[in-house]
Amino acid sequence: DWSSSLFKCSHSALTRGRPTEPLAAMAASKMARALVGAVVAVGLLSATSGFVQPAAPRVGVPEVSVATSFVDSQPAEAKQPREEAAQSAMSWTSSLLSAGSVLVLAFGFFAAQPAAHAITAEQFSQLTYAQVKGSGLANRCPTVESNGTSIQVKPGARMTNMCFEPKSFAVEAETDGGKKEFVTTKLMTRQTYTLAFIDGPLTTNPITFKEEDGMDHQPTTVKLPNAEYVPFLFTVKSLLAKGEGSEFKPGFTWGGEFEVPSYRTGGFLDPKGRGMYSGYDQAVALPALQADGKGGQEELFKESNKVFDIGKGAIEMEVNKVNAELGEIGGVFVSKQPSDTDMGAKAPKTILMKGIFYGKVV
């Protein structure tokens, strides 16, 4: 009833004084209907706002004011639902941003966790397999806590639990100027390149260590800056290290030579099925290259005639920590050895490694 009365009043007000103008009357009628629709919409919004639970007040957060001519021109009844909707939207987005902030902080916390730190041999012996698995500790050499000044090597002594952990790998390669120099590489092998549990007898005056047993070799691969892969067998097999004196103390240096077995064994077959004691004797479908009797024959012979190469390497070590109570020594080493020859088919490259070592005198 109130809307019909409003429509009649508006229509009579708009058409008063111009009863003979049908076009103007029609336009006035359309404007009146639009005005009535707007009033009805405002009424509906006001009625439904009572059923909507308003958002809880946000303490300490200033309200956002939107200063536009359109909003300012609306009546008070139209502003109220807009403000409530804005507060609800702000509450929802604030909770979403809060959840995102928590996720970002959690991700930063887990991503910032440092890698597995080296621990002492005593602490390592107390860990279970489940605690070591996946932690990276299996690839770390134990550290030595300094205690005392020296460890005397007595007759019948042995070096046990010796460990070598490389920290850097360099390969002698030809540079742009044609000169050969050691270049830094990228390690491609996962956490399985450390030598551990090496054992052997010790003699004194001079101190001599002879490697007899243990995990004394690990296949390793590095990548040169030109994307070339260089595989090699990191090893100290049959190491005979000597140093002047009869006791281990900080600053004591010793070293010696060792053997470097072939990266691959005789049972390996290359992509064409050739092997050392199994597989084909030579590659098929190359009769012309075999029959020329010149350089091609020599190159083919190297690929077909698989050999188990044994090279020579050298290592130098320096003791920088001793624990006289536990008989532990620790220090740094520099090792140089040849790389893989693909069972005689390629010339080996020289590998230079630097790292840390650990050992226990018993």
Side-chain angles (χ1 to χ4, degrees), residues 85 120 144 155 170 242 274 279 309 345-346:
T120 63
V144 178
K242 296 182 178 180
R274 298 169 294 190
D309 285 331
K346 301 177 182 178

Side-chain angles (χ1 to χ4, degrees), residues 32-353:
R33 289 193 182 97
L35 181 60
V36 170
V39 173
V40 171
V42 171
L44 290 175
L45 287 176
S46 301
T48 56
S49 62
F51 298 96
V52 179
Q53 182 67 26
R58 305 178 72 247
V59 180
V61 179
E63 296 184 359
V64 179
S65 60
V66 183
T68 58
S69 58
F70 176 77
V71 177
D72 293 339
S73 61
Q74 299 299 315
E77 292 81 358
K79 289 183 179 180
Q80 183 177 357
R82 293 181 182 274
E83 292 175 355
E84 292 177 355
Q87 290 179 0
S88 300
M90 185 182 299
S91 177
W92 180 81
T93 53
S94 301
S95 60
L96 181 62
L97 291 175
S98 301
S101 302
V102 171
L103 290 176
V104 170
L105 291 176
F107 176 78
F109 173 79
F110 288 110
Q113 294 301 308
H117 294 290
I119 59 177
T120 63
E122 184 178 3
Q123 294 171 337
F124 191 90
S125 63
Q126 298 173 0
L127 300 178
T128 64
Y129 173 79
Q131 291 173 323
V132 175
K133 181 182 178 181
S135 65
L137 292 174
N139 196 56
R140 298 296 181 95
C141 287
T143 57
V144 178
E145 294 181 349
S146 297
N147 184 7
T149 58
S150 64
I151 299 176
Q152 190 74 26
V153 178
K154 301 177 181 179
R158 294 183 66 86
M159 180 73 73
T160 63
N161 200 27
M162 200 169 190
C163 176
F164 294 90
E165 180 187 347
K167 295 293 188 180
S168 65
F169 302 85
V171 177
E172 188 178 25
E174 196 169 311
T175 59
D176 296 336
K179 297 181 180 180
K180 284 190 175 182
E181 60 182 22
F182 287 97
V183 297
T184 57
T185 61
K186 179 182 179 180
L187 180 65
M188 306 304 296
T189 304
R190 304 184 76 174
Q191 304 290 316
T192 57
Y193 53 85
T194 294
L195 310 182
F197 311 112
I198 296 173
D199 181 81
L202 279 173
T203 57
T204 185
N205 286 323
I207 293 179
T208 304
F209 169 69
K210 184 179 181 181
E211 189 269 339
E212 289 183 346
D213 195 9
M215 297 175 59
D216 54 10
H217 63 280
Q218 291 285 7
T220 311
T221 302
V222 294
K223 186 177 180 181
L224 293 175
N226 61 358
E228 178 184 357
Y229 291 91
V230 181
F232 65 96
L233 191 72
F234 173 43
T235 181
V236 290
K237 188 174 286 292
S238 301
L239 170 64
L240 186 63
K242 296 182 178 180
E244 295 297 329
S246 60
E247 60 182 9
F248 289 109
K249 57 184 179 181
F252 177 79
T253 58
W254 53 320
E257 294 185 346
F258 55 87
E259 295 180 354
V260 182
S262 175
Y263 182 80
R264 296 185 174 98
T265 58
F268 171 78
L269 297 179
D270 68 6
K272 294 188 176 181
R274 298 169 294 190
M276 182 176 173
Y277 58 75
S278 63
Y280 297 112
D281 291 335
Q282 61 184 7
V284 297
L286 293 173
L289 186 59
Q290 297 178 34
D292 66 356
K294 299 180 181 179
Q297 180 67 26
E298 182 180 356
E299 181 181 352
L300 180 61
F301 179 77
K302 290 182 179 179
E303 293 284 348
S304 300
N305 185 35
K306 306 295 184 181
V307 295
F308 190 87
D309 285 331
I310 298 180
K312 286 288 185 180
I315 187 172
E316 289 290 333
M317 297 172 281
E318 181 179 353
V319 178
N320 55 25
K321 288 183 179 181
V322 297
N323 189 319
E325 182 180 356
L326 301 177
E328 297 176 337
I329 63 171
V332 295
F333 77 89
V334 178
S335 177
K336 183 185 290 187
Q337 68 169 75
S339 69
D340 173 44
T341 64
D342 198 11
M343 303 193 75
K346 301 177 182 178
K349 299 181 184 294
T350 303
I351 311 294
L352 182 66
M353 289 168 287

